[in-house]
Amino acid sequence: MLNTLSTDVLIIGGGIAGLWLNARLRKEGFATILVEKHTLGGGQSVKSQGIIHGGAKYALHGALTGASEAIADMPRRWREALAGNGEIDLRGVPLLSDAHYLWSPGTIAGNLTSFFASKAVRGRVDQVKGDQLPPALQHAKFKGKVYRLAELVLDVPNLIKRLAELAGDSLLAGEVIEPIFEADKLTGLRVDGREIRAQRIVLSAGSSNAELLNALNISQPAQQLRPLHMVLVKGPTLKPLYAHCLGGGPKPRVTITTHPAADGQWVWYLGGEIAEADGVARDPASQIKAAQKELGDLLPWIDLSSAQWATVRVDRAEPAQTGLIRPDNAFLTDSGNLLVGWPTKLALAPDFADRVLATLERDGIKPGPASALSDLPRPAVAEPIWERLF
Ligand code: FAD
């Protein structure tokens, strides 16, 4: 076994942040090694709903402050990548929906009327009716209003597969990570006993960033975890629906996305308020009951008697914020050769990569001599969660 490797950028963690960054760096001519401990995408990324937000949902509670927020540009950047003329080539990754919808089941409350009239959403939100409605809402009994957002929804398991292809031979399965310090400077990491020297090391290990920083004896940046208890429903009567159902509060009452299972059935994946505080406190059986009641109230014409149900618990990992406020930009901080961050959203992976590239440019890091990699143990790509649960 070749025990010492050298590369330009060593990335720890193969979720969306690490994988997108890896593809971007390789395209810019940098040599990279990306180390993954479990499966590629198997942390938060493959459990995400795949919505490429443009920020409209955040404007709902006044959090979108304008053009300074990177999120507003994300749908365009992802669309270009999917079309093959963006910063990385994501051609072949299926688009599950070209739009995400805002759905108000009753009459629009006062605060929402002003929201739809506000500058933040003008030109980005159109009301839809009749056969333009999402298939699951096309029913005589449907009442309410639906608005189309210029946001897209991606098939995340296939996105991860594509990013793993773009990684070429840069992927390494590795479990035990120890620092290599020289004259008090971090110059590399030992991964399962194999020394890897790099000009820069990026920690993009999601909720494990805290543990990795701890192992390096570094206390900042602090991390916050937001627990979620998501619900999955699979059944022959389900039709596609990609929508935030508005409650009246600042957060969607439920956010539904629809995903294709290998046997041809659809799976609905439920997030939003139902998966947060009260939902986190419920055990899986009570959480499923709560979801059954919610769907029964909102979509009574859909027969769910033969549906299968499951729940999944997962923590969102982010930089610590006061009051657990959600950041609307990716977060990256650096010290010496070490860069650490969280994209904070799948949609913001391009912003995360921008921040790393800006740091490399600021520090004058250029592609240098690198080891040729072959025959390294390669991590597998994560399975869709519904294939594991049903
Ligand atoms: P992760 O995907 O968690 O990846 C971290 C990786 O690091 C994992 O593969 C892990 O195995 C690996 N790792 C850990 N420790 C080590 C180690 N020691 N060595 C090597 N590798 C290691 N965002 C959106 O934009 N749209 C959405 O619709 C959306 N929906 C969401 C729904 C849910 C239920 C959740 C939980 C999140 C959602 N998000 C969404 C947020 C988004 O999923 C995350 O912000 C994003 O996936 C985080 O990516 P990441 O690469 O930082 O972390």
Side-chain angles (χ1 to χ4, degrees):
M1 172 169 91
L2 185 61
N3 264 332
T4 302
L5 298 173
S6 58
T7 192
D8 295 322
V9 183
L10 171 58
I11 302 169
I12 307 298
I16 190 68
L19 285 167
W20 183 292
L21 170 66
N22 191 37
R24 224 12 245 284
L25 288 171
R26 285 168 59 84
K27 204 174 162 201
E28 304 282 330
F30 288 98
T32 60
I33 296 179
L34 184 156
V35 180
E36 169 55 49
K37 188 174 183 174
H38 304 292
T39 51
L40 296 168
Q44 298 158 83
S45 297
V46 90
K47 299 180 192 100
S48 82
Q49 293 192 276
I51 306 164
I52 304 302
H53 308 279
K57 183 178 83 166
Y58 305 101
L60 208 52
H61 50 104
L64 190 75
T65 50
S68 64
E69 301 294 341
I71 196 142
D73 202 24
M74 289 304 136
R76 178 192 64 80
R77 290 177 68 176
W78 281 84
R79 276 183 210 283
E80 286 178 5
L82 290 166
N85 53 26
E87 54 221 75
I88 60 173
D89 182 357
L90 294 183
R91 271 176 302 174
V93 175
L95 195 58
L96 293 179
S97 178
D98 191 41
H100 194 67
Y101 294 83
L102 277 180
W103 154 34
S104 170
T107 49
I108 295 262
N111 61 332
L112 287 177
T113 312
S114 55
F115 162 71
F116 285 114
S118 77
K119 229 165 101 187
V121 297
R122 232 182 288 147
R124 292 208 264 165
V125 180
D126 302 307
Q127 190 176 354
V128 293
K129 294 182 177 167
D131 60 8
Q132 291 179 326
L133 287 169
L137 301 182
Q138 292 184 22
H139 192 274
K141 286 199 182 135
F142 174 72
K143 287 197 198 78
K145 292 203 162 135
V146 179
Y147 297 82
R148 186 181 197 279
L149 304 178
E151 301 184 348
L152 43 158
V153 188
L154 288 182
D155 184 318
V156 178
N158 279 304
L159 166 66
I160 302 289
K161 251 189 220 161
R162 173 67 186 144
L163 289 169
E165 275 169 27
L166 293 177
D169 62 3
S170 66
L171 301 173
L172 171 65
E175 220 169 286
V176 181
I177 294 189
E178 300 152 293
I180 304 172
F181 284 107
E182 276 165 31
D184 279 348
K185 255 179 72 183
L186 184 72
T187 54
L189 296 175
R190 202 168 289 110
V191 178
D192 294 342
R194 186 185 265 117
E195 281 188 10
I196 307 178
R197 310 267 162 174
Q199 302 195 62
R200 289 291 181 272
I201 297 164
V202 180
L203 302 186
S204 56
S207 61
S208 297
N209 273 349
E211 191 186 309
L212 285 163
L213 286 170
N214 203 25
L216 298 174
N217 238 335
I218 298 172
S219 60
Q220 288 297 326
Q223 167 180 297
Q224 74 181 27
L225 296 179
R226 269 192 307 124
L228 296 173
H229 194 183
M230 307 288 284
V231 181
L232 293 100
V233 200
K234 180 177 172 183
T237 55
L238 298 183
K239 292 180 182 167
L241 180 57
Y242 301 90
H244 297 303
C245 176
L246 303 175
K251 284 186 190 159
R253 169 172 168 180
V254 57
T255 296
I256 303 178
T257 49
T258 311
H259 307 263
D263 63 4
Q265 290 191 38
W266 290 113
V267 177
W268 276 4
Y269 193 27
L270 313 186
E273 186 108 61
I274 194 168
E276 300 198 18
D278 291 348
V280 171
R282 290 184 198 114
D283 60 38
S286 324
Q287 178 68 339
I288 287 171
K289 265 205 188 116
Q292 287 169 333
K293 169 148 192 351
E294 188 70 335
L295 294 186
D297 289 349
L298 290 169
L299 303 154
W301 56 89
I302 297 182
D303 176 10
L304 293 169
S305 55
S306 62
Q308 295 170 265
W309 299 79
T311 71
V312 63
R313 288 187 188 274
V314 52
D315 289 337
R316 282 183 77 144
E318 299 164 343
Q321 308 274 308
T322 39
L324 289 189
I325 291 168
R326 282 182 257 199
D328 278 329
N329 292 292
F331 176 91
L332 184 82
T333 182
D334 66 295
S335 161
N337 296 340
L338 186 70
L339 288 72
V340 187
W342 298 266
T344 77
K345 289 180 184 64
L346 180 99
L348 284 165
D351 185 39
F352 181 80
D354 283 355
R355 286 164 198 264
V356 173
L357 280 152
T359 307
L360 300 183
E361 195 174 320
R362 180 200 67 198
D363 295 349
I365 304 288
K366 298 260 179 304
S371 318
L373 303 178
S374 58
D375 299 332
L376 295 179
R378 227 180 122 90
V381 173
E383 281 278 291
I385 41 166
W386 41 91
E387 302 303 339
R388 273 197 281 126
L389 291 170
F390 296 116

